[in-house]
Amino acid sequence: MSPDEDRGGAGPGRRLVITARLENLEGVRRWMTEVLESLRFPHQQVFEINVAMAEALTNVIRHAYGGPSDQQIIIEASWTDDRITISIQDFGQKFDPAQHGTPDLDRPAEGGYGMFLMRRFMDEVTYDLSPPVGTIVRLLKRRV
Amino acid sequence: MQIDERREGQIVILAPHGAWDAATAPAFKERANTLVAAGSIRFAIDFSHVEFIDSSALGSLVSLYKKVKPTLNGDVRLFALAPDVHVIFKETRLDRVFQIVPTLEEAIRSFPT
């Protein structure tokens, strides 16, 4: 992992570059927790943001890159007084959120909760498909 | 992923440690599958050492539930969940599927004799 690279004079924020491997999830969580605690996000919100991050990164590794690989994922966190925005950029297959519907919560399933939890735990989840290659997922959370 | 295992009668108590996510959920699933194949059908999952879970953990628990509940008349209880972890089960309504109790003693008592 390559933490806190120069963000080119942008506003307050931090940047982390990882390879697309599931064993990096733990390190991302530690990094994200440190950022969120420094911004005084409450414990429950730190947990919820970390869940959304884990789901987004797992989707990238499994679907955009088709499994673990040495390809890059760029994570950028930026914030204002009352909110944090986290962008997760990959360079793999484009992700179409429209193909992933809401799970039937009356029927327990072994999969399908990931995007649902992202939307439940974040205030906004958007997918930017405009880059020539890959996708940027943006997660926004307002501090309570 | 460290998963402690012990038994109370016919009930298998599994205690995963640390983060239960996409990197570690396969280890839980493999351990549970081995136990079911060996004849175990009653499980109590101890969350007191679980620091984080995501949908991969839910998937591995639902997988176990589906193996033991409908056809083998077994069941899966969860106990000692931290409040933040409990929220995931409420949001996904899996708290209606799994009986969630505060302690091991209550988990054991909740199984029919």
Side-chain angles (χ1 to χ4, degrees):
Chain A
M1 293 201 297
S2 167
D4 300 326
E5 294 182 351
D6 182 11
R7 295 175 61 252
R14 289 174 69 177
R15 186 176 198 256
L16 180 71
V17 181
I18 64 169
T19 54
R21 298 194 171 277
L22 294 172
E23 57 264 34
N24 286 331
L25 294 176
E26 180 78 42
V28 173
R29 199 152 44 241
R30 280 199 299 272
W31 176 83
M32 194 75 251
T33 298
E34 183 189 321
V35 169
L36 293 167
E37 288 180 345
S38 75
L39 297 171
R40 300 190 309 279
F41 274 78
H43 178 82
Q44 181 64 39
Q45 286 199 311
V46 172
F47 179 81
E48 291 172 0
I49 293 167
N50 275 327
V51 170
M53 289 277 290
E55 303 297 351
L57 290 167
T58 301
N59 280 346
V60 167
I61 294 167
R62 286 188 174 154
H63 303 301
Y65 288 134
S69 80
D70 287 328
Q71 296 188 82
Q72 282 193 336
I73 304 173
I74 299 173
I75 304 164
E76 288 193 331
S78 59
W79 52 83
T80 60
D81 283 347
D82 69 337
R83 69 190 62 185
I84 186 164
T85 302
I86 303 147
S87 70
I88 297 167
Q89 181 170 17
D90 70 69
F91 305 92
Q93 293 286 319
K94 287 200 178 292
F95 182 77
D96 181 4
Q99 291 186 351
H100 298 263
T102 304
D104 180 352
L105 298 182
D106 292 324
R107 293 170 184 268
E110 292 180 43
Y113 296 113
M115 284 189 60
F116 171 78
L117 286 172
M118 286 168 65
R119 294 190 189 285
R120 291 294 291 184
F121 284 161
M122 301 304 290
D123 293 307
E124 291 177 21
V125 178
T126 56
Y127 290 84
D128 181 354
L129 303 175
S130 67
V133 179
T135 306
I136 303 173
V137 185
R138 290 192 179 86
L139 310 171
L140 183 147
K141 185 81 164 177
R142 295 180 189 86
R143 191 177 55 215
V144 293
Chain B
M1 182 193 218
Q2 179 185 337
I3 305 171
D4 295 339
E5 177 185 327
R6 60 196 176 99
R7 288 172 187 272
E8 288 277 344
Q10 294 184 323
I11 302 167
V12 179
I13 302 153
L14 293 177
H17 287 237
W20 193 348
D21 60 12
T24 57
F28 179 88
K29 197 168 175 180
E30 188 180 328
R31 174 76 71 90
N33 286 348
T34 301
L35 288 162
V36 173
S40 299
I41 59 168
R42 291 180 167 185
F43 290 85
I45 313 300
D46 179 359
F47 275 75
S48 55
H49 303 289
V50 174
E51 294 163 4
F52 177 82
I53 72 166
D54 67 8
S55 68
S56 300
L58 300 182
S60 58
L61 282 168
V62 171
S63 170
L64 174 60
Y65 174 85
K66 287 187 168 181
K67 281 188 173 66
V68 299
K69 176 76 175 177
T71 54
L72 301 175
N73 203 29
D75 215 332
V76 182
R77 309 287 198 244
L78 316 181
F79 69 95
L81 278 69
D84 50 8
V85 169
H86 201 157
V87 167
I88 284 203
F89 287 89
K90 289 186 75 170
E91 290 289 345
T92 54
R93 296 192 202 160
L94 289 173
D95 59 343
R96 301 178 188 181
V97 174
F98 297 104
Q99 191 168 332
I100 299 173
V101 295
T103 65
L104 170 62
E105 290 69 29
E106 286 164 277
I108 290 170
R109 276 202 307 270
S110 70
F111 284 99
T113 52

